[in-house]
Amino acid sequence: MFSDAFVTISSTNFDTIVKFYSQLFDCEARSYRPGVYAEFAIGGLRLGIFQPKSTNQHQQSGHHHRGMSICLEVTNLEQAIDKLSQLDYPPPGDIITASHGREIYAYDPDGNCLILHQSPNRSRSVSIRES
């Protein structure tokens, strides 16, 4: 069900934080959408940086977002939501559809933000085998 995981940072100072990590890592973002999203790959780490929208799910859900999140790439968003619900940690909001795919925000038992993301090129009808 889960195919990838990486760390993300939300920042209202998007340009400043992207410039900082570009200089720190001595490289340009491998994926970049001005004012929206930048992604760096260094060693085994993928670091995504995004500019939160004022209607961000974090604020609507009543959870305090600390700036850092774990983004989990999933092959089937509905199955991932069901799994969290079975663990008694269902996502408090609705699925968001954007140009980069579908996503939903959830939280672990300590309140850390989990972003479950399904890329648009992944079919929602993919059959997943549990091990």
Side-chain angles (χ1 to χ4, degrees):
M1 175 181 332
F2 297 97
S3 62
D4 200 7
F6 59 99
V7 176
T8 62
I9 298 172
S10 69
S11 177
T12 55
N13 299 311
F14 181 80
D15 292 333
T16 301
I17 200 82
V18 169
K19 182 178 177 181
F20 171 81
Y21 281 102
S22 289
Q23 292 173 340
L24 179 67
F25 297 150
D26 197 27
C27 68
E28 295 299 315
R30 72 177 192 172
S31 175
Y32 183 74
R33 291 182 57 207
V36 177
Y37 184 77
E39 184 175 298
F40 295 90
I42 186 88
L45 172 71
R46 281 179 51 205
L47 174 65
I49 300 168
F50 66 95
Q51 169 90 28
K53 296 180 181 178
S54 60
T55 59
N56 192 302
Q57 197 71 23
H58 296 298
Q59 296 164 351
Q60 293 175 356
S61 69
H63 286 82
H64 175 67
H65 183 56
R66 296 180 180 100
M68 191 168 293
S69 306
I70 299 171
C71 185
L72 301 170
E73 185 67 34
V74 299
T75 53
N76 185 297
L77 190 56
E78 285 75 13
Q79 284 182 349
I81 291 168
D82 288 345
K83 175 91 173 188
L84 284 171
S85 297
Q86 290 169 10
L87 296 172
D88 290 328
Y89 291 94
D94 297 323
I95 294 173
I96 300 166
T97 302
S99 61
H100 58 82
R102 299 167 59 234
E103 63 186 32
I104 194 163
Y105 296 94
Y107 300 88
D108 71 12
D110 284 340
N112 297 303
C113 181
L114 304 174
I115 303 172
L116 284 80
H117 178 265
Q118 182 180 338
S119 294
N121 59 351
R122 296 204 182 258
S123 170
R124 291 193 307 218
S125 62
V126 172
S127 175
I128 306 299
R129 280 189 263 155
E130 298 283 332
S131 11

